[in-house]
Amino acid sequence: MSIWLEDSGSKPSRSRRSEQPSGLDRERITDATVKLLDAEGLAKFSMRRLASELGVTAMSVYWYVATKDDLLELALDRVFGEPRLPATDATEEGDAPDWREQLRELAAEYRALIVRHPWTSTLTGNFLNVGPNSLLFSHAVQKVIAGTGLSLPRQRGAIASVFQFVYGYSTIEGHFVQRCAEAGMTQDEYFREAMSAFRAPPELADTFQHTEEMMSAIEGGESVEQMRDLDFQAALDLQIAGIEALVAQEAKQAGR
Amino acid sequence: MSIWLEDSGSKPSRSRRSEQPSGLDRERITDATVKLLDAEGLAKFSMRRLASELGVTAMSVYWYVATKDDLLELALDRVFGEPRLPATDATEEGDAPDWREQLRELAAEYRALIVRHPWTSTLTGNFLNVGPNSLLFSHAVQKVIAGTGLSLPRQRGAIASVFQFVYGYSTIEGHFVQRCAEAGMTQDEYFREAMSAFRAPPELADTFQHTEEMMSAIEGGESVEQMRDLDFQAALDLQIAGIEALVAQEAKQAGR
DNA sequence: ACCTGAACACCGTTCAAGT
DNA sequence: ACCTGAACACCGTTCAAGT
């Protein structure tokens, strides 16, 4: 089911004993996997490619890992250790940072993670993603949202709303960045290229009119990257405003 | 770059001339592709598998389609034709439906599309997704958001916020549904199984306390599916409240 | 305990050849 | 114009064998 659920963890971890002939190790294997996935993408990643990178036969890796999917799960949880999480024990009253600030920071960290490692989003979709680092991340998310003062059912809605948005947004963004890199273009070049290669279906002319209006409707949005930053922030603003509105609404109902 | 951008459309479409020896056709090929992707998932889909389904050699398909990716783009745009879009020309004043209602319906249609065809989200990530049906869908989204009365830059934020949320949420949901089907379990069975196989790391005990509180915090959320419906609606509530708050805020600033 | 080699059943795609 | 077969360079994984 998952390497993190019992039974699949049967292969010993062999992390601390680095006197192997080839110096192999789950740690080193996971390292190399992440590096390869970053460099060449999920589609090109293979056990044979990884093994050759490690200077070893393809089958050696199978001593440390039961299956390719298990290895991908390890890599996935590995990168979920990267985001800086808000200090969880701000027990003192005065200096506890505002939930808005925490939310923005955590969202930015999550976005950066996915854009840095675009393969991450494909894997979170395909696996359960319940490794230790992923759990710590989820915990941080829950804590931040709990700080809003929403009721528990609405906290669940808010978590879904904010972090599935970040997931979706960053997935598209990350894949686009990767495509540009593969084509050897900057994002602006790629974007202009795609735009000019576009033969708009005549019956959709008005669609593009509205779209282009919206595209140029942002001051300070000269580059693709700037536009994406602005959109991302605008969406977070919307969600924060939504949370505030629901908090106020619940307070009013309670006061009645 | 994409089958929808010039140059890649070089292979003739051959849609109308169905007198081929094998009765092959882009239409029929795309049909079979969607059916196979639905039944067995993106990972198991292959040109050879598809060809055998069509009663034909693997290489026959390449007469109609330049590459596997092109075919996947065709399948992707095909299913984007499924959602019912709001009637776009509600020009009469009185009976134009509320944007809130339109938004909920379009979000529900999008969610249903992704859950029905979980491979869709992987592909929207990997391709540009600028086929005619996808464009019509985007157009509908833009029209609905334009109905909120937000300023253009904020419309962009709102589109990202709502529809990337739906994308992210439904992606996870769809993949989970698919996993359950492959394992031959109901969603509740799979969920309980995963939960019981779970060996919680001791230092995360408090995480799970809070998590379990939240899990059981929903009345009427007995089944996994009910809970997901409730969370989805709660998230949409939040986003709609956010849009309303920003509309009000902009109105106030304009009035000053 | 750790690593290898050969083998199996697959891939996407090219290319020359058939009708 | 449409379809096939053989071939190339790949996959993940099994299994018996080496040290």
Side-chain angles (χ1 to χ4, degrees), chain B residues 189-233:
Chain B
E189 284 165 0
Y190 193 94
F191 185 76
R192 207 175 304 115
E193 187 111 337
M195 269 312 204
S196 69
F198 199 89
R199 45 194 174 83
E203 78 275 17
L204 292 182
D206 63 326
T207 306
F208 288 102
Q209 192 204 326
H210 185 87
T211 304
E212 278 173 38
E213 271 175 39
M214 261 202 333
M215 300 283 292
S216 53
I218 305 217
E219 61 272 22
E222 285 87 26
S223 76
V224 172
E225 281 165 279
Q226 283 172 337
M227 265 178 17
R228 253 202 302 259
D229 282 348
L230 290 169
D231 287 349
F232 186 79
Q233 295 311 327

Short mmCIF file of all heavy atoms in Angstrom, two decimals, chain B residues 189-233:
data_model
loop_
_atom_site.label_atom_id
_atom_site.label_comp_id
_atom_site.label_asym_id
_atom_site.label_seq_id
_atom_site.Cartn_x
_atom_site.Cartn_y
_atom_site.Cartn_z
N GLU B 189 -13.51 1.16 3.27
CA GLU B 189 -12.65 0.03 3.61
C GLU B 189 -11.19 0.40 3.48
O GLU B 189 -10.37 0.16 4.38
CB GLU B 189 -12.96 -1.16 2.69
CG GLU B 189 -14.25 -1.90 3.04
CD GLU B 189 -14.70 -2.82 1.90
OE1 GLU B 189 -14.00 -2.87 0.87
OE2 GLU B 189 -15.75 -3.45 2.06
N TYR B 190 -10.86 1.00 2.35
CA TYR B 190 -9.46 1.38 2.10
C TYR B 190 -8.98 2.33 3.18
O TYR B 190 -7.88 2.20 3.72
CB TYR B 190 -9.34 2.03 0.73
CG TYR B 190 -7.92 2.18 0.23
CD1 TYR B 190 -7.35 1.22 -0.59
CD2 TYR B 190 -7.15 3.28 0.58
CE1 TYR B 190 -6.06 1.35 -1.05
CE2 TYR B 190 -5.86 3.42 0.12
CZ TYR B 190 -5.32 2.45 -0.69
OH TYR B 190 -4.04 2.59 -1.14
N PHE B 191 -9.81 3.29 3.49
CA PHE B 191 -9.45 4.29 4.50
C PHE B 191 -9.20 3.63 5.85
O PHE B 191 -8.19 3.90 6.51
CB PHE B 191 -10.59 5.31 4.61
CG PHE B 191 -10.28 6.45 5.53
CD1 PHE B 191 -9.43 7.47 5.12
CD2 PHE B 191 -10.85 6.52 6.80
CE1 PHE B 191 -9.14 8.53 5.96
CE2 PHE B 191 -10.56 7.58 7.64
CZ PHE B 191 -9.71 8.59 7.22
N ARG B 192 -10.09 2.75 6.25
CA ARG B 192 -9.94 2.09 7.55
C ARG B 192 -8.68 1.22 7.56
O ARG B 192 -7.92 1.21 8.52
CB ARG B 192 -11.19 1.24 7.87
CG ARG B 192 -11.42 1.08 9.39
CD ARG B 192 -12.72 0.36 9.70
NE ARG B 192 -13.86 1.01 9.09
CZ ARG B 192 -14.63 0.47 8.14
NH1 ARG B 192 -14.38 -0.75 7.71
NH2 ARG B 192 -15.65 1.12 7.65
N GLU B 193 -8.48 0.53 6.45
CA GLU B 193 -7.29 -0.31 6.32
C GLU B 193 -6.00 0.51 6.48
O GLU B 193 -5.11 0.15 7.25
CB GLU B 193 -7.29 -0.98 4.93
CG GLU B 193 -6.20 -2.00 4.76
CD GLU B 193 -6.77 -3.40 4.67
OE1 GLU B 193 -7.89 -3.62 5.17
OE2 GLU B 193 -6.08 -4.28 4.12
N ALA B 194 -5.95 1.62 5.75
CA ALA B 194 -4.75 2.46 5.82
C ALA B 194 -4.57 3.00 7.24
O ALA B 194 -3.46 3.08 7.77
CB ALA B 194 -4.86 3.61 4.82
N MET B 195 -5.68 3.36 7.86
CA MET B 195 -5.61 3.91 9.21
C MET B 195 -5.07 2.89 10.20
O MET B 195 -4.24 3.20 11.07
CB MET B 195 -7.01 4.36 9.67
CG MET B 195 -7.33 5.79 9.35
SD MET B 195 -6.01 6.95 9.82
CE MET B 195 -6.95 8.46 10.01
N SER B 196 -5.52 1.65 10.08
CA SER B 196 -5.13 0.65 11.07
C SER B 196 -3.71 0.15 10.82
O SER B 196 -3.01 -0.27 11.74
CB SER B 196 -6.10 -0.53 11.05
OG SER B 196 -5.94 -1.25 9.85
N ALA B 197 -3.27 0.21 9.57
CA ALA B 197 -1.90 -0.21 9.26
C ALA B 197 -0.89 0.84 9.68
O ALA B 197 0.30 0.64 9.57
CB ALA B 197 -1.77 -0.49 7.76
N PHE B 198 -1.41 1.92 10.17
CA PHE B 198 -0.57 3.08 10.43
C PHE B 198 0.11 2.97 11.78
O PHE B 198 -0.54 2.81 12.80
CB PHE B 198 -1.45 4.32 10.38
CG PHE B 198 -0.67 5.56 10.19
CD1 PHE B 198 -0.40 6.01 8.92
CD2 PHE B 198 -0.22 6.28 11.27
CE1 PHE B 198 0.34 7.15 8.72
CE2 PHE B 198 0.53 7.42 11.07
CZ PHE B 198 0.80 7.85 9.80
N ARG B 199 1.41 3.04 11.79
CA ARG B 199 2.13 3.05 13.07
C ARG B 199 2.62 4.48 13.31
O ARG B 199 3.61 4.94 12.77
CB ARG B 199 3.31 2.08 13.03
CG ARG B 199 4.11 2.18 11.75
CD ARG B 199 5.05 1.00 11.56
NE ARG B 199 5.66 1.09 10.23
CZ ARG B 199 6.74 1.85 9.96
NH1 ARG B 199 7.31 2.53 10.89
NH2 ARG B 199 7.24 1.89 8.74
N ALA B 200 1.88 5.18 14.12
CA ALA B 200 2.15 6.60 14.34
C ALA B 200 3.50 6.78 15.05
O ALA B 200 3.76 6.14 16.05
CB ALA B 200 1.04 7.22 15.18
N PRO B 201 4.35 7.63 14.52
CA PRO B 201 5.59 7.95 15.22
C PRO B 201 5.26 8.59 16.57
O PRO B 201 4.38 9.46 16.64
CB PRO B 201 6.27 8.96 14.30
CG PRO B 201 5.55 8.87 12.99
CD PRO B 201 4.17 8.40 13.30
N PRO B 202 5.91 8.16 17.63
CA PRO B 202 5.52 8.60 18.98
C PRO B 202 5.58 10.12 19.16
O PRO B 202 4.71 10.68 19.82
CB PRO B 202 6.55 7.90 19.88
CG PRO B 202 7.64 7.42 18.97
CD PRO B 202 7.04 7.25 17.63
N GLU B 203 6.56 10.74 18.53
CA GLU B 203 6.67 12.19 18.75
C GLU B 203 5.56 12.98 18.06
O GLU B 203 5.45 14.18 18.23
CB GLU B 203 8.05 12.70 18.31
CG GLU B 203 8.22 12.88 16.80
CD GLU B 203 8.62 11.58 16.11
OE1 GLU B 203 8.46 10.50 16.72
OE2 GLU B 203 9.10 11.65 14.96
N LEU B 204 4.74 12.26 17.29
CA LEU B 204 3.67 12.95 16.58
C LEU B 204 2.30 12.65 17.20
O LEU B 204 1.27 12.89 16.58
CB LEU B 204 3.67 12.54 15.11
CG LEU B 204 4.86 13.02 14.32
CD1 LEU B 204 4.74 12.60 12.87
CD2 LEU B 204 4.99 14.54 14.43
N ALA B 205 2.32 12.14 18.40
CA ALA B 205 1.06 11.74 19.04
C ALA B 205 0.07 12.91 19.09
O ALA B 205 -1.11 12.73 18.79
CB ALA B 205 1.33 11.21 20.44
N ASP B 206 0.56 14.09 19.44
CA ASP B 206 -0.38 15.21 19.57
C ASP B 206 -0.92 15.66 18.22
O ASP B 206 -2.03 16.14 18.11
CB ASP B 206 0.31 16.38 20.29
CG ASP B 206 1.48 16.90 19.48
OD1 ASP B 206 2.13 16.08 18.81
OD2 ASP B 206 1.72 18.11 19.51
N THR B 207 -0.13 15.46 17.18
CA THR B 207 -0.63 15.75 15.84
C THR B 207 -1.91 14.97 15.58
O THR B 207 -2.91 15.52 15.13
CB THR B 207 0.38 15.32 14.77
OG1 THR B 207 1.63 15.92 15.05
CG2 THR B 207 -0.10 15.74 13.40
N PHE B 208 -1.85 13.70 15.90
CA PHE B 208 -2.98 12.86 15.56
C PHE B 208 -4.17 13.12 16.47
O PHE B 208 -5.30 12.91 16.06
CB PHE B 208 -2.56 11.40 15.57
CG PHE B 208 -1.71 11.12 14.40
CD1 PHE B 208 -0.34 11.00 14.52
CD2 PHE B 208 -2.27 11.05 13.14
CE1 PHE B 208 0.45 10.79 13.42
CE2 PHE B 208 -1.49 10.84 12.04
CZ PHE B 208 -0.12 10.71 12.18
N GLN B 209 -3.87 13.56 17.64
CA GLN B 209 -4.98 13.93 18.50
C GLN B 209 -5.79 15.04 17.84
O GLN B 209 -6.99 14.91 17.63
CB GLN B 209 -4.43 14.41 19.85
CG GLN B 209 -5.50 14.56 20.92
CD GLN B 209 -5.06 15.54 21.98
OE1 GLN B 209 -3.87 15.64 22.29
NE2 GLN B 209 -6.00 16.28 22.52
N HIS B 210 -5.09 16.11 17.45
CA HIS B 210 -5.78 17.21 16.79
C HIS B 210 -6.45 16.75 15.49
O HIS B 210 -7.58 17.10 15.20
CB HIS B 210 -4.78 18.33 16.51
CG HIS B 210 -5.41 19.56 15.94
ND1 HIS B 210 -5.95 20.56 16.71
CD2 HIS B 210 -5.63 19.94 14.65
CE1 HIS B 210 -6.45 21.50 15.94
NE2 HIS B 210 -6.27 21.15 14.68
N THR B 211 -5.72 15.94 14.73
CA THR B 211 -6.27 15.45 13.46
C THR B 211 -7.55 14.67 13.68
O THR B 211 -8.55 14.88 12.99
CB THR B 211 -5.25 14.54 12.75
OG1 THR B 211 -4.03 15.26 12.59
CG2 THR B 211 -5.78 14.09 11.41
N GLU B 212 -7.52 13.79 14.67
CA GLU B 212 -8.71 12.97 14.90
C GLU B 212 -9.87 13.79 15.41
O GLU B 212 -11.02 13.54 15.04
CB GLU B 212 -8.37 11.83 15.87
CG GLU B 212 -7.70 10.66 15.17
CD GLU B 212 -7.22 9.61 16.17
OE1 GLU B 212 -7.94 9.37 17.15
OE2 GLU B 212 -6.13 9.05 15.95
N GLU B 213 -9.57 14.77 16.23
CA GLU B 213 -10.61 15.71 16.63
C GLU B 213 -11.28 16.30 15.41
O GLU B 213 -12.50 16.34 15.29
CB GLU B 213 -10.00 16.86 17.46
CG GLU B 213 -9.94 16.63 18.95
CD GLU B 213 -9.22 17.77 19.63
OE1 GLU B 213 -9.42 18.93 19.21
OE2 GLU B 213 -8.44 17.51 20.57
N MET B 214 -10.44 16.73 14.48
CA MET B 214 -10.98 17.38 13.29
C MET B 214 -11.74 16.41 12.41
O MET B 214 -12.73 16.77 11.79
CB MET B 214 -9.85 18.02 12.49
CG MET B 214 -9.74 19.49 12.76
SD MET B 214 -8.92 20.33 11.42
CE MET B 214 -7.92 19.05 10.79
N MET B 215 -11.25 15.18 12.35
CA MET B 215 -11.92 14.19 11.52
C MET B 215 -13.33 13.92 12.01
O MET B 215 -14.25 13.70 11.23
CB MET B 215 -11.14 12.87 11.54
CG MET B 215 -9.72 12.97 11.02
SD MET B 215 -9.66 13.07 9.24
CE MET B 215 -10.22 11.42 8.86
N SER B 216 -13.49 13.89 13.31
CA SER B 216 -14.79 13.54 13.86
C SER B 216 -15.64 14.78 14.13
O SER B 216 -16.71 14.70 14.71
CB SER B 216 -14.60 12.74 15.16
OG SER B 216 -13.76 13.46 16.03
N ALA B 217 -15.16 15.92 13.68
CA ALA B 217 -15.84 17.17 14.03
C ALA B 217 -17.00 17.48 13.10
O ALA B 217 -17.62 18.52 13.20
CB ALA B 217 -14.84 18.33 13.99
N ILE B 218 -17.30 16.56 12.19
CA ILE B 218 -18.35 16.86 11.23
C ILE B 218 -19.57 16.00 11.46
O ILE B 218 -19.49 14.77 11.39
CB ILE B 218 -17.83 16.65 9.80
CG1 ILE B 218 -16.58 17.48 9.60
CG2 ILE B 218 -18.89 16.98 8.80
CD1 ILE B 218 -16.45 18.07 8.25
N GLU B 219 -20.66 16.64 11.69
CA GLU B 219 -21.89 15.87 11.79
C GLU B 219 -22.36 15.53 10.39
O GLU B 219 -22.25 16.34 9.47
CB GLU B 219 -22.97 16.66 12.55
CG GLU B 219 -23.37 17.96 11.90
CD GLU B 219 -22.47 19.12 12.35
OE1 GLU B 219 -21.34 18.87 12.81
OE2 GLU B 219 -22.91 20.27 12.25
N GLY B 220 -22.83 14.32 10.25
CA GLY B 220 -23.26 13.90 8.91
C GLY B 220 -22.11 13.42 8.06
O GLY B 220 -22.29 13.09 6.90
N GLY B 221 -20.91 13.36 8.62
CA GLY B 221 -19.76 12.91 7.85
C GLY B 221 -19.37 11.49 8.19
O GLY B 221 -18.29 11.25 8.70
N GLU B 222 -20.28 10.57 7.94
CA GLU B 222 -19.99 9.18 8.31
C GLU B 222 -19.03 8.52 7.33
O GLU B 222 -18.08 7.87 7.71
CB GLU B 222 -21.27 8.35 8.39
CG GLU B 222 -22.09 8.61 9.62
CD GLU B 222 -23.03 9.78 9.40
OE1 GLU B 222 -23.40 10.02 8.24
OE2 GLU B 222 -23.40 10.45 10.38
N SER B 223 -19.30 8.71 6.06
CA SER B 223 -18.47 8.04 5.06
C SER B 223 -17.43 9.00 4.52
O SER B 223 -17.56 10.23 4.61
CB SER B 223 -19.35 7.53 3.91
OG SER B 223 -19.73 8.60 3.08
N VAL B 224 -16.39 8.40 3.96
CA VAL B 224 -15.33 9.20 3.35
C VAL B 224 -15.91 10.14 2.30
O VAL B 224 -15.54 11.32 2.22
CB VAL B 224 -14.28 8.28 2.72
CG1 VAL B 224 -13.26 9.07 1.93
CG2 VAL B 224 -13.57 7.46 3.80
N GLU B 225 -16.83 9.61 1.51
CA GLU B 225 -17.38 10.43 0.43
C GLU B 225 -18.20 11.61 0.95
O GLU B 225 -18.11 12.72 0.43
CB GLU B 225 -18.25 9.55 -0.48
CG GLU B 225 -17.42 8.71 -1.44
CD GLU B 225 -18.23 7.60 -2.07
OE1 GLU B 225 -18.39 6.57 -1.39
OE2 GLU B 225 -18.69 7.76 -3.19
N GLN B 226 -18.99 11.35 1.99
CA GLN B 226 -19.75 12.46 2.57
C GLN B 226 -18.83 13.54 3.11
O GLN B 226 -19.05 14.73 2.92
CB GLN B 226 -20.66 11.94 3.69
CG GLN B 226 -21.90 11.23 3.20
CD GLN B 226 -22.66 10.57 4.33
OE1 GLN B 226 -22.09 10.28 5.38
NE2 GLN B 226 -23.94 10.33 4.12
N MET B 227 -17.78 13.09 3.81
CA MET B 227 -16.84 14.04 4.37
C MET B 227 -16.21 14.89 3.29
O MET B 227 -16.02 16.09 3.45
CB MET B 227 -15.76 13.32 5.16
CG MET B 227 -16.07 13.26 6.63
SD MET B 227 -14.83 12.34 7.57
CE MET B 227 -13.44 12.27 6.50
N ARG B 228 -15.90 14.25 2.17
CA ARG B 228 -15.26 15.01 1.11
C ARG B 228 -16.20 16.01 0.46
O ARG B 228 -15.80 17.11 0.11
CB ARG B 228 -14.67 14.06 0.07
CG ARG B 228 -13.15 14.03 0.18
CD ARG B 228 -12.55 13.57 -1.09
NE ARG B 228 -13.06 12.26 -1.42
CZ ARG B 228 -12.40 11.13 -1.22
NH1 ARG B 228 -11.21 11.17 -0.70
NH2 ARG B 228 -12.93 10.00 -1.54
N ASP B 229 -17.47 15.62 0.34
CA ASP B 229 -18.45 16.58 -0.16
C ASP B 229 -18.55 17.79 0.76
O ASP B 229 -18.57 18.93 0.31
CB ASP B 229 -19.83 15.91 -0.28
CG ASP B 229 -19.93 15.04 -1.53
OD1 ASP B 229 -19.04 15.14 -2.39
OD2 ASP B 229 -20.90 14.27 -1.62
N LEU B 230 -18.61 17.49 2.05
CA LEU B 230 -18.75 18.59 3.01
C LEU B 230 -17.54 19.51 2.98
O LEU B 230 -17.68 20.74 2.99
CB LEU B 230 -18.94 18.01 4.42
CG LEU B 230 -20.29 17.33 4.65
CD1 LEU B 230 -20.30 16.57 5.97
CD2 LEU B 230 -21.42 18.35 4.62
N ASP B 231 -16.36 18.93 2.95
CA ASP B 231 -15.16 19.76 2.89
C ASP B 231 -15.12 20.60 1.62
O ASP B 231 -14.75 21.78 1.64
CB ASP B 231 -13.90 18.88 2.95
CG ASP B 231 -13.66 18.30 4.33
OD1 ASP B 231 -14.34 18.75 5.27
OD2 ASP B 231 -12.80 17.42 4.46
N PHE B 232 -15.52 19.97 0.52
CA PHE B 232 -15.51 20.70 -0.75
C PHE B 232 -16.45 21.91 -0.69
O PHE B 232 -16.08 23.02 -1.07
CB PHE B 232 -15.92 19.76 -1.88
CG PHE B 232 -15.80 20.35 -3.25
CD1 PHE B 232 -14.57 20.43 -3.88
CD2 PHE B 232 -16.92 20.82 -3.92
CE1 PHE B 232 -14.45 20.97 -5.15
CE2 PHE B 232 -16.81 21.36 -5.19
CZ PHE B 232 -15.59 21.44 -5.81
N GLN B 233 -17.64 21.66 -0.18
CA GLN B 233 -18.60 22.77 -0.08
C GLN B 233 -18.11 23.84 0.89
O GLN B 233 -18.26 25.04 0.64
CB GLN B 233 -19.97 22.24 0.37
CG GLN B 233 -20.63 21.31 -0.64
CD GLN B 233 -20.65 21.87 -2.07
OE1 GLN B 233 -20.76 23.06 -2.29
NE2 GLN B 233 -20.52 20.98 -3.05
#
